[in-house]
Amino acid sequence: MSELNMKKRLIILIAGTCCWLQPLIAQSTRYRDPIFSQVQLRKDVAFGSAVNRYTQQTQTLRMDIYEPQGDSAAARPCLVMVHGGGFYTGRKNGPNYTRVCNEAAQRGYLAVSIDYRLRPKSGKTTRINVIDAAHDMKAAVRWLRKNKASLRLDADRISCIGSSAG
């Protein structure tokens, strides 16, 4: 086969592949670009409870759920946002966390922002504070997986992100 024929076949193969991939490329913008203008917010959804070791009181653990309004996807990936604050301060509805969750939902993700057990401000952060917060985050993920059908959640695509202590 001549070099010219080989080049022609390669060009035809590349052109054909690009035509075939074009619908997939267009679809892939769902999670990259904001395609939903409205976000539905469900505040203070209980996902579990745990004893706060400092108050000895059972604390209800809550999350805010952000969903793209008008989304018809059967199974969406989920972003779990965990706030920072040195394990003694911070809330799931802080302005930065709200913005990240809204922007994720506008791109087609199910986004949640969770609260977790906090220590008193006067105490030092210890290993146990980190473990308690991690347990609370894991409880949120278990709750999401348990409710995947009603949330239209892809339980195999859950990511957790946060800042500082989160």
Side-chain angles (χ1 to χ4, degrees):
M1 184 180 302
S2 76
E3 189 176 326
L4 183 59
N5 281 342
M6 188 71 133
K7 285 182 181 178
K8 285 181 181 177
R9 286 184 179 197
L10 185 58
I11 290 170
I12 291 169
L13 176 65
I14 291 170
T17 302
C18 288
C19 291
W20 176 78
L21 284 176
Q22 188 57 39
L24 296 177
I25 292 168
Q27 270 185 332
S28 70
T29 64
R30 173 184 169 95
Y31 301 114
R32 186 187 69 203
D33 300 323
I35 60 171
F36 295 94
S37 59
Q38 300 293 316
V39 172
Q40 179 182 351
L41 171 60
R42 287 191 276 165
K43 291 184 172 191
D44 296 323
V45 176
F47 66 85
S49 63
V51 174
N52 184 310
R53 67 184 63 252
Y54 300 101
T55 65
Q56 297 303 311
Q57 300 293 314
T58 299
Q59 179 178 336
T60 301
L61 302 170
R62 300 187 185 279
M63 67 172 64
D64 291 344
I65 302 174
Y66 299 76
E67 296 182 77
Q69 195 168 356
D71 186 17
S72 61
R76 305 171 286 197
C78 181
L79 178 73
V80 179
M81 172 59 76
V82 186
H83 69 80
F87 301 102
Y88 70 89
T89 189
R91 295 201 35 86
K92 65 181 172 17
N93 58 354
N96 291 333
Y97 311 114
T98 301
R99 181 181 49 78
V100 169
C101 288
N102 270 306
E103 289 178 5
Q106 289 172 340
R107 286 165 170 76
Y109 292 90
L110 178 71
V112 301
S113 186
I114 69 166
D115 272 337
Y116 54 87
R117 290 171 283 172
L118 300 174
R119 67 171 173 82
K121 185 176 182 176
S122 60
K124 283 187 156 189
T125 299
T126 65
R127 183 174 166 262
I128 203 69
N129 303 125
V130 178
I131 291 170
D132 285 350
H135 284 182
D136 296 349
M137 183 194 64
K138 289 177 182 180
V141 171
R142 283 192 301 273
W143 185 90
L144 289 165
R145 286 191 169 130
K146 181 180 174 186
N147 293 281
K148 68 181 182 181
S150 64
L151 294 168
R152 297 188 346 256
L153 166 71
D154 182 346
D156 293 327
R157 296 193 300 165
I158 299 174
S159 296
C160 299
I161 65 169
S163 65
S164 189

